[in-house]
Amino acid sequence: YKSYPVMYMHDGQNLFDNSTSFAGEWGVDETLDSLFSDGYDVPIVIGIDNGRELRIDELTPWPNSKYGGGDGDKYMRFIVETLKPEIDKRYRTLPDAAHTSIMGSSLGGLISFYGGLKYGSSINNIGVFSPSFWYSEKVYEFAQQIDTLPNTRIIILGSALEDSTMVPDMQKMVELLKTKMDTNNLKMIVTKDGQHSEWYWKREFPKSVVWLLDLKKE
């Protein structure tokens, strides 16, 4: 029997099915089917629905003076301490940190970044799409205080068309991360087009997941 890596993704309503989404879908299931057909080893993806009106609380590690929030660490502890052990018990997973990933977009990118760094003993691979680093300046202090990240792999993706601060914020964070980790494990992608929208993340997901999980063809 084969065991599989696991990727945890936020905003589960938007990952697999237009009918459940609030903004279009990522097409994660179709992408994994396609990659599998191309001979890649693909992960199990666990989509975690957001709590709708609680989404901002869940996906932000620190409060914002205008938008509130700040319960992101409780949400991450739920993933690491409750959800992950249950998934590893029920399914044939590779439970070590090297085979565990987290990915999201917008506030989901912010919480993925935070959670992957804070809980690096459980999660090594972090997919950060169109991150809302603007939500709190504390994200930079947090990253600065993290020890070196010898086993962490991070992809950060965005477009200048999303808003004027997206790319500068990403660049600021990448420069900081370069002092903490092997730059071969750090990838920033800035696309000329691309909007803060599901169609963009859907388009970028296949090649991003191949790089992030270092997927190999069998």
Side-chain angles (χ1 to χ4, degrees):
Y1 291 112
K2 188 170 180 172
S3 296
Y4 297 88
V6 181
M7 174 177 273
Y8 294 88
M9 297 182 71
H10 319 290
D11 294 319
Q13 295 98 321
N14 291 6
L15 299 177
F16 305 111
D17 194 340
N18 262 326
S19 67
T20 60
S21 79
F22 54 86
E25 62 156 302
W26 285 49
V28 167
D29 43 346
E30 290 89 348
T31 293
L32 295 178
D33 285 348
S34 177
L35 289 171
F36 181 77
S37 296
D38 288 344
Y40 285 99
D41 275 336
V42 295
I44 296 169
V45 169
I46 306 298
I48 307 163
D49 284 4
N50 65 60
R52 301 191 184 275
E53 69 278 1
L54 299 175
R55 179 176 183 266
I56 287 179
D57 291 334
E58 293 168 348
L59 301 185
T60 56
W62 308 277
N64 173 287
S65 57
K66 182 176 178 183
Y67 299 106
D71 282 340
D73 194 63
K74 290 182 190 170
Y75 172 75
M76 277 308 310
R77 285 208 315 273
F78 160 73
I79 293 174
V80 171
E81 296 174 7
T82 303
L83 181 60
K84 183 181 184 317
E86 187 64 26
I87 295 297
D88 291 336
K89 189 169 79 177
R90 287 192 189 196
Y91 302 103
R92 295 199 310 272
T93 67
L94 297 166
D96 59 314
H99 292 97
T100 304
S101 310
I102 192 164
M103 179 182 273
S105 62
S106 194
L107 292 177
L110 175 64
I111 197 67
S112 294
F113 180 79
Y114 169 84
L117 263 59
K118 178 156 185 186
Y119 297 95
S121 58
S122 299
I123 302 165
N124 278 174
N125 311 298
I126 313 171
V128 183
F129 281 14
S130 305
S132 298
F133 289 148
W134 61 266
Y135 199 84
S136 174
E137 280 293 312
K138 288 187 175 175
V139 72
Y140 300 103
E141 296 168 32
F142 165 77
Q144 187 66 60
Q145 289 163 3
I146 289 286
D147 289 334
T148 55
L149 301 162
N151 304 311
T152 298
R153 197 166 167 87
I154 303 177
I155 187 166
I156 299 181
L157 171 133
S159 165
L161 294 184
E162 296 185 72
D163 65 50
S164 60
T165 64
M166 179 63 71
V167 174
D169 285 353
M170 287 166 48
Q171 288 170 329
K172 180 178 176 182
M173 188 60 80
V174 165
E175 289 307 309
L176 197 163
L177 291 170
K178 283 179 180 175
T179 67
K180 306 275 183 183
M181 58 188 292
D182 179 350
T183 53
N184 291 321
N185 288 331
L186 177 62
K187 190 180 186 83
M188 180 169 84
I189 299 174
V190 176
T191 62
K192 288 192 172 67
D193 66 341
Q195 286 156 346
H196 207 72
S197 181
E198 264 61 26
W199 70 260
Y200 176 44
W201 304 321
K202 176 180 183 176
R203 189 189 74 186
E204 299 297 325
F205 177 69
K207 53 182 179 272
S208 298
V209 79
V210 167
W211 182 85
L212 182 63
L213 275 63
D214 196 20
L215 296 183
K216 302 284 194 264
K217 291 192 176 184
E218 290 185 319

